[in-house]
Tab-separated table of all heavy atoms in Angstrom:
chain	number	residue	atom	x	y	z
A	144	GLN	N	-46.270	2.722	-4.882
A	144	GLN	CA	-47.368	3.634	-4.587
A	144	GLN	C	-47.630	3.643	-3.040
A	144	GLN	O	-47.965	4.682	-2.468
A	144	GLN	CB	-48.654	3.152	-5.335
A	144	GLN	CG	-49.824	4.154	-5.219
A	144	GLN	CD	-49.480	5.497	-5.836
A	144	GLN	OE1	-48.777	5.574	-6.911
A	144	GLN	NE2	-49.908	6.601	-5.218
A	145	LEU	N	-47.533	2.526	-2.388
A	145	LEU	CA	-47.688	2.465	-0.953
A	145	LEU	C	-46.647	3.342	-0.300
A	145	LEU	O	-46.820	4.023	0.755
A	145	LEU	CB	-47.720	1.022	-0.452
A	145	LEU	CG	-47.906	0.858	1.068
A	145	LEU	CD1	-49.210	1.521	1.549
A	145	LEU	CD2	-47.910	-0.629	1.432
A	146	GLY	N	-45.358	3.241	-0.737
A	146	GLY	CA	-44.333	4.024	-0.216
A	146	GLY	C	-44.669	5.502	-0.281
A	146	GLY	O	-44.354	6.307	0.661
A	147	ILE	N	-45.165	5.932	-1.408
A	147	ILE	CA	-45.583	7.342	-1.622
A	147	ILE	C	-46.665	7.752	-0.571
A	147	ILE	O	-46.527	8.847	0.054
A	147	ILE	CB	-46.059	7.553	-2.998
A	147	ILE	CG1	-44.947	7.441	-4.020
A	147	ILE	CG2	-46.739	8.914	-3.188
A	147	ILE	CD1	-45.406	7.381	-5.504
A	148	VAL	N	-47.603	6.851	-0.362
A	148	VAL	CA	-48.661	7.169	0.659
A	148	VAL	C	-48.099	7.274	2.018
A	148	VAL	O	-48.478	8.149	2.793
A	148	VAL	CB	-49.732	6.118	0.496
A	148	VAL	CG1	-50.763	6.228	1.684
A	148	VAL	CG2	-50.544	6.183	-0.843
A	149	LEU	N	-47.235	6.387	2.356
A	149	LEU	CA	-46.591	6.412	3.728
A	149	LEU	C	-45.842	7.695	3.929
A	149	LEU	O	-45.906	8.304	5.064
A	149	LEU	CB	-45.721	5.165	3.955
A	149	LEU	CG	-46.403	3.779	3.977
A	149	LEU	CD1	-45.453	2.695	3.873
A	149	LEU	CD2	-47.303	3.754	5.210
A	150	ILE	N	-45.174	8.187	2.977
A	150	ILE	CA	-44.460	9.453	3.065
A	150	ILE	C	-45.484	10.541	3.225
A	150	ILE	O	-45.304	11.452	4.084
A	150	ILE	CB	-43.566	9.692	1.749
A	150	ILE	CG1	-42.506	8.691	1.636
A	150	ILE	CG2	-43.014	11.134	1.802
A	150	ILE	CD1	-41.391	8.730	2.619
A	151	ALA	N	-46.530	10.543	2.518
A	151	ALA	CA	-47.652	11.564	2.651
A	151	ALA	C	-48.203	11.548	4.015
A	151	ALA	O	-48.613	12.564	4.537
A	151	ALA	CB	-48.681	11.336	1.555
A	152	LEU	N	-48.304	10.329	4.666
A	152	LEU	CA	-48.820	10.285	5.983
A	152	LEU	C	-47.845	10.670	7.074
A	152	LEU	O	-48.101	10.592	8.247
A	152	LEU	CB	-49.356	8.848	6.199
A	152	LEU	CG	-50.593	8.408	5.453
A	152	LEU	CD1	-50.810	6.940	5.536
A	152	LEU	CD2	-51.811	9.167	6.050
A	153	GLY	N	-46.628	11.009	6.683
A	153	GLY	CA	-45.594	11.415	7.647
A	153	GLY	C	-44.841	10.237	8.239
A	153	GLY	O	-44.030	10.480	9.097
A	154	ARG	N	-44.998	9.124	7.642
A	154	ARG	CA	-44.345	7.879	8.189
A	154	ARG	C	-43.061	7.669	7.310
A	154	ARG	O	-43.071	6.653	6.489
A	154	ARG	CB	-45.245	6.722	8.177
A	154	ARG	CG	-46.316	6.891	9.310
A	154	ARG	CD	-47.593	6.284	9.023
A	154	ARG	NE	-47.556	4.829	8.784
A	154	ARG	CZ	-48.674	4.165	8.394
A	154	ARG	NH1	-49.817	4.755	8.213
A	154	ARG	NH2	-48.576	2.860	8.140
A	155	THR	N	-42.145	8.514	7.337
A	155	THR	CA	-41.054	8.575	6.386
A	155	THR	C	-40.180	7.273	6.440
A	155	THR	O	-39.821	6.693	5.385
A	155	THR	CB	-40.141	9.789	6.665
A	155	THR	OG1	-40.960	10.972	6.534
A	155	THR	CG2	-39.003	9.875	5.698
A	156	ASP	N	-39.913	6.779	7.598
A	156	ASP	CA	-39.110	5.612	7.754
A	156	ASP	C	-39.820	4.393	7.036
A	156	ASP	O	-39.066	3.587	6.379
A	156	ASP	CB	-38.824	5.298	9.192
A	156	ASP	CG	-37.787	6.270	9.807
A	156	ASP	OD1	-37.171	7.022	9.110
A	156	ASP	OD2	-37.742	6.323	11.059
A	157	GLU	N	-41.039	4.281	7.230
A	157	GLU	CA	-41.773	3.175	6.587
A	157	GLU	C	-41.779	3.322	5.119
A	157	GLU	O	-41.644	2.326	4.358
A	157	GLU	CB	-43.231	3.053	7.120
A	157	GLU	CG	-43.347	2.713	8.546
A	157	GLU	CD	-44.837	2.664	8.944
A	157	GLU	OE1	-45.617	1.952	8.368
A	157	GLU	OE2	-45.240	3.443	9.861
A	158	GLY	N	-41.963	4.589	4.593
A	158	GLY	CA	-41.929	4.793	3.222
A	158	GLY	C	-40.602	4.422	2.538
A	158	GLY	O	-40.468	3.819	1.530
A	159	LEU	N	-39.499	4.929	3.178
A	159	LEU	CA	-38.175	4.583	2.736
A	159	LEU	C	-37.915	3.150	2.738
A	159	LEU	O	-37.292	2.593	1.794
A	159	LEU	CB	-37.125	5.370	3.567
A	159	LEU	CG	-37.030	6.858	3.444
A	159	LEU	CD1	-36.256	7.510	4.529
A	159	LEU	CD2	-36.476	7.241	2.063
A	160	ALA	N	-38.400	2.433	3.773
A	160	ALA	CA	-38.193	0.940	3.779
A	160	ALA	C	-38.885	0.257	2.649
A	160	ALA	O	-38.396	-0.641	2.032
A	160	ALA	CB	-38.697	0.393	5.160
A	161	MET	N	-40.091	0.792	2.310
A	161	MET	CA	-40.822	0.210	1.210
A	161	MET	C	-40.071	0.424	-0.128
A	161	MET	O	-39.923	-0.543	-0.963
A	161	MET	CB	-42.217	0.845	1.065
A	161	MET	CG	-43.085	0.197	0.059
A	161	MET	SD	-43.538	-1.489	0.388
A	161	MET	CE	-44.466	-1.303	1.948
A	162	PHE	N	-39.546	1.606	-0.326
A	162	PHE	CA	-38.783	1.878	-1.582
A	162	PHE	C	-37.489	1.056	-1.618
A	162	PHE	O	-37.089	0.526	-2.745
A	162	PHE	CB	-38.403	3.374	-1.716
A	162	PHE	CG	-39.551	4.275	-1.743
A	162	PHE	CD1	-39.566	5.539	-1.128
A	162	PHE	CD2	-40.700	3.972	-2.528
A	162	PHE	CE1	-40.570	6.372	-1.182
A	162	PHE	CE2	-41.780	4.856	-2.550
A	162	PHE	CZ	-41.756	6.078	-1.912
A	163	ARG	N	-36.875	0.831	-0.452
A	163	ARG	CA	-35.695	-0.046	-0.470
A	163	ARG	C	-35.971	-1.484	-0.734
A	163	ARG	O	-35.229	-2.175	-1.344
A	163	ARG	CB	-35.002	0.137	0.891
A	163	ARG	CG	-34.316	1.522	1.083
A	163	ARG	CD	-33.421	1.560	2.323
A	163	ARG	NE	-32.710	2.832	2.338
A	163	ARG	CZ	-32.983	3.869	3.173
A	163	ARG	NH1	-33.967	3.741	4.090
A	163	ARG	NH2	-32.294	5.001	3.137
A	164	ASP	N	-37.159	-1.913	-0.326
A	164	ASP	CA	-37.576	-3.317	-0.662
A	164	ASP	C	-37.778	-3.387	-2.185
A	164	ASP	O	-37.458	-4.424	-2.770
A	164	ASP	CB	-38.892	-3.637	0.042
A	164	ASP	CG	-38.652	-3.860	1.548
A	164	ASP	OD1	-37.549	-4.138	1.966
A	164	ASP	OD2	-39.662	-3.875	2.295
A	165	VAL	N	-38.324	-2.335	-2.809
A	165	VAL	CA	-38.536	-2.339	-4.204
A	165	VAL	C	-37.179	-2.562	-4.985
A	165	VAL	O	-37.131	-3.395	-5.841
A	165	VAL	CB	-39.231	-0.995	-4.690
A	165	VAL	CG1	-39.252	-0.907	-6.206
A	165	VAL	CG2	-40.616	-0.926	-4.148
A	166	VAL	N	-36.207	-1.752	-4.664
A	166	VAL	CA	-34.959	-1.809	-5.430
A	166	VAL	C	-34.221	-3.085	-5.002
A	166	VAL	O	-33.360	-3.546	-5.814
A	166	VAL	CB	-34.140	-0.556	-5.239
A	166	VAL	CG1	-34.795	0.643	-5.870
A	166	VAL	CG2	-33.727	-0.360	-3.718
A	167	ALA	N	-34.474	-3.614	-3.829
A	167	ALA	CA	-33.797	-4.952	-3.519
A	167	ALA	C	-34.375	-6.009	-4.293
A	167	ALA	O	-33.678	-6.912	-4.797
A	167	ALA	CB	-33.948	-5.203	-1.986
A	168	LEU	N	-35.716	-5.993	-4.531
A	168	LEU	CA	-36.356	-7.002	-5.408
A	168	LEU	C	-35.982	-6.886	-6.842
A	168	LEU	O	-35.841	-7.871	-7.556
A	168	LEU	CB	-37.849	-6.945	-5.223
A	168	LEU	CG	-38.431	-7.378	-3.907
A	168	LEU	CD1	-39.900	-6.972	-3.789
A	168	LEU	CD2	-38.316	-8.864	-3.753
A	169	ASN	N	-35.830	-5.574	-7.295
A	169	ASN	CA	-35.519	-5.392	-8.679
A	169	ASN	C	-34.654	-4.119	-8.800
A	169	ASN	O	-35.117	-3.006	-8.846
A	169	ASN	CB	-36.739	-5.161	-9.550
A	169	ASN	CG	-36.457	-4.991	-10.996
A	169	ASN	OD1	-35.244	-5.033	-11.411
A	169	ASN	ND2	-37.433	-4.644	-11.796
A	170	PRO	N	-33.305	-4.292	-8.814
A	170	PRO	CA	-32.355	-3.168	-8.927
A	170	PRO	C	-32.569	-2.278	-10.187
A	170	PRO	O	-32.067	-1.193	-10.272
A	170	PRO	CB	-30.992	-3.777	-8.832
A	170	PRO	CG	-31.242	-5.067	-8.263
A	170	PRO	CD	-32.561	-5.551	-8.664
A	171	ALA	N	-33.342	-2.786	-11.158
A	171	ALA	CA	-33.544	-2.021	-12.384
A	171	ALA	C	-34.886	-1.233	-12.297
A	171	ALA	O	-35.277	-0.605	-13.277
A	171	ALA	CB	-33.579	-2.987	-13.564
A	172	ASN	N	-35.438	-1.183	-11.108
A	172	ASN	CA	-36.737	-0.406	-10.979
A	172	ASN	C	-36.473	1.080	-10.804
A	172	ASN	O	-36.061	1.517	-9.743
A	172	ASN	CB	-37.579	-0.970	-9.837
A	172	ASN	CG	-38.972	-0.359	-9.726
A	172	ASN	OD1	-39.125	0.702	-9.226
A	172	ASN	ND2	-39.940	-0.977	-10.420
A	173	HIS	N	-36.572	1.849	-11.863
A	173	HIS	CA	-36.189	3.243	-11.869
A	173	HIS	C	-37.111	4.058	-10.844
A	173	HIS	O	-36.634	4.953	-10.201
A	173	HIS	CB	-36.314	3.889	-13.221
A	173	HIS	CG	-37.741	3.866	-13.802
A	173	HIS	ND1	-38.300	2.664	-14.326
A	173	HIS	CD2	-38.693	4.767	-13.903
A	173	HIS	CE1	-39.547	2.959	-14.689
A	173	HIS	NE2	-39.833	4.191	-14.502
A	174	ALA	N	-38.348	3.712	-10.784
A	174	ALA	CA	-39.308	4.379	-9.870
A	174	ALA	C	-38.850	4.276	-8.441
A	174	ALA	O	-38.932	5.258	-7.710
A	174	ALA	CB	-40.698	3.837	-10.052
A	175	GLY	N	-38.411	3.076	-8.020
A	175	GLY	CA	-37.924	2.922	-6.644
A	175	GLY	C	-36.762	3.833	-6.330
A	175	GLY	O	-36.741	4.456	-5.291
A	176	TRP	N	-35.757	3.861	-7.199
A	176	TRP	CA	-34.642	4.732	-6.968
A	176	TRP	C	-35.003	6.218	-6.966
A	176	TRP	O	-34.513	6.993	-6.132
A	176	TRP	CB	-33.593	4.522	-8.073
A	176	TRP	CG	-32.872	3.131	-8.056
A	176	TRP	CD1	-33.007	2.179	-8.986
A	176	TRP	CD2	-32.068	2.608	-6.987
A	176	TRP	NE1	-32.284	1.053	-8.643
A	176	TRP	CE2	-31.643	1.289	-7.429
A	176	TRP	CE3	-31.603	3.049	-5.796
A	176	TRP	CZ2	-30.873	0.468	-6.653
A	176	TRP	CZ3	-30.772	2.247	-5.072
A	176	TRP	CH2	-30.409	0.969	-5.436
A	177	ALA	N	-35.870	6.628	-7.830
A	177	ALA	CA	-36.349	7.999	-7.970
A	177	ALA	C	-37.051	8.368	-6.718
A	177	ALA	O	-36.900	9.488	-6.178
A	177	ALA	CB	-37.114	8.259	-9.135
A	178	ASN	N	-37.921	7.423	-6.199
A	178	ASN	CA	-38.703	7.753	-4.984
A	178	ASN	C	-37.865	7.863	-3.768
A	178	ASN	O	-38.095	8.695	-2.961
A	178	ASN	CB	-39.763	6.703	-4.835
A	178	ASN	CG	-40.932	6.897	-5.784
A	178	ASN	OD1	-41.279	8.048	-6.150
A	178	ASN	ND2	-41.560	5.749	-6.178
A	179	LEU	N	-36.814	7.020	-3.734
A	179	LEU	CA	-35.808	7.127	-2.632
A	179	LEU	C	-35.184	8.524	-2.649
A	179	LEU	O	-34.995	9.208	-1.645
A	179	LEU	CB	-34.732	6.076	-2.775
A	179	LEU	CG	-35.064	4.728	-2.159
A	179	LEU	CD1	-34.056	3.655	-2.544
A	179	LEU	CD2	-35.153	4.822	-0.627
A	180	GLY	N	-34.748	8.986	-3.829
A	180	GLY	CA	-34.116	10.332	-3.969
A	180	GLY	C	-35.077	11.382	-3.565
A	180	GLY	O	-34.642	12.312	-2.800
A	181	CYS	N	-36.294	11.279	-3.933
A	181	CYS	CA	-37.246	12.363	-3.661
A	181	CYS	C	-37.524	12.480	-2.138
A	181	CYS	O	-37.515	13.485	-1.561
A	181	CYS	CB	-38.569	12.112	-4.392
A	181	CYS	SG	-39.705	13.492	-4.349
A	182	ALA	N	-37.726	11.244	-1.539
A	182	ALA	CA	-38.012	11.241	-0.083
A	182	ALA	C	-36.843	11.771	0.702
A	182	ALA	O	-37.051	12.492	1.697
A	182	ALA	CB	-38.421	9.831	0.322
A	183	LEU	N	-35.616	11.337	0.381
A	183	LEU	CA	-34.440	11.771	1.140
A	183	LEU	C	-34.140	13.234	0.953
A	183	LEU	O	-33.643	13.891	1.830
A	183	LEU	CB	-33.205	10.960	0.836
A	183	LEU	CG	-33.330	9.448	1.249
A	183	LEU	CD1	-32.156	8.679	0.674
A	183	LEU	CD2	-33.293	9.470	2.793
A	184	ALA	N	-34.487	13.787	-0.261
A	184	ALA	CA	-34.298	15.235	-0.478
A	184	ALA	C	-35.201	16.016	0.510
A	184	ALA	O	-34.829	17.038	0.987
A	184	ALA	CB	-34.619	15.606	-1.925
A	185	HIS	N	-36.411	15.505	0.730
A	185	HIS	CA	-37.281	16.189	1.762
A	185	HIS	C	-36.646	16.255	3.106
A	185	HIS	O	-36.876	17.221	3.876
A	185	HIS	CB	-38.659	15.481	1.885
A	185	HIS	CG	-39.514	15.661	0.634
A	185	HIS	ND1	-39.499	16.773	-0.173
A	185	HIS	CD2	-40.509	14.851	0.079
A	185	HIS	CE1	-40.343	16.678	-1.124
A	185	HIS	NE2	-40.944	15.460	-0.987
A	186	GLU	N	-35.806	15.240	3.431
A	186	GLU	CA	-35.179	15.157	4.726
A	186	GLU	C	-33.749	15.910	4.806
A	186	GLU	O	-33.128	15.837	5.793
A	186	GLU	CB	-34.997	13.710	5.127
A	186	GLU	CG	-36.309	12.926	5.146
A	186	GLU	CD	-37.253	13.507	6.273
A	186	GLU	OE1	-36.894	13.852	7.286
A	186	GLU	OE2	-38.449	13.701	5.832
A	187	GLY	N	-33.409	16.473	3.618
A	187	GLY	CA	-32.119	17.190	3.603
A	187	GLY	C	-30.914	16.271	3.435
A	187	GLY	O	-29.782	16.768	3.584
Side-chain angles (χ1 to χ4, degrees):
Q144 190 61 40
L145 180 56
I147 291 170
V148 169
L149 293 169
I150 296 290
L152 288 168
R154 289 149 59 187
T155 302
D156 289 344
E157 291 179 61
L159 288 170
M161 186 64 65
F162 298 142
R163 290 189 173 107
D164 286 345
V165 168
V166 297
L168 288 169
N169 181 6
N172 187 273
H173 63 283
W176 293 114
N178 284 328
L179 276 168
C181 191
L183 288 173
H185 289 331
E186 301 301 314

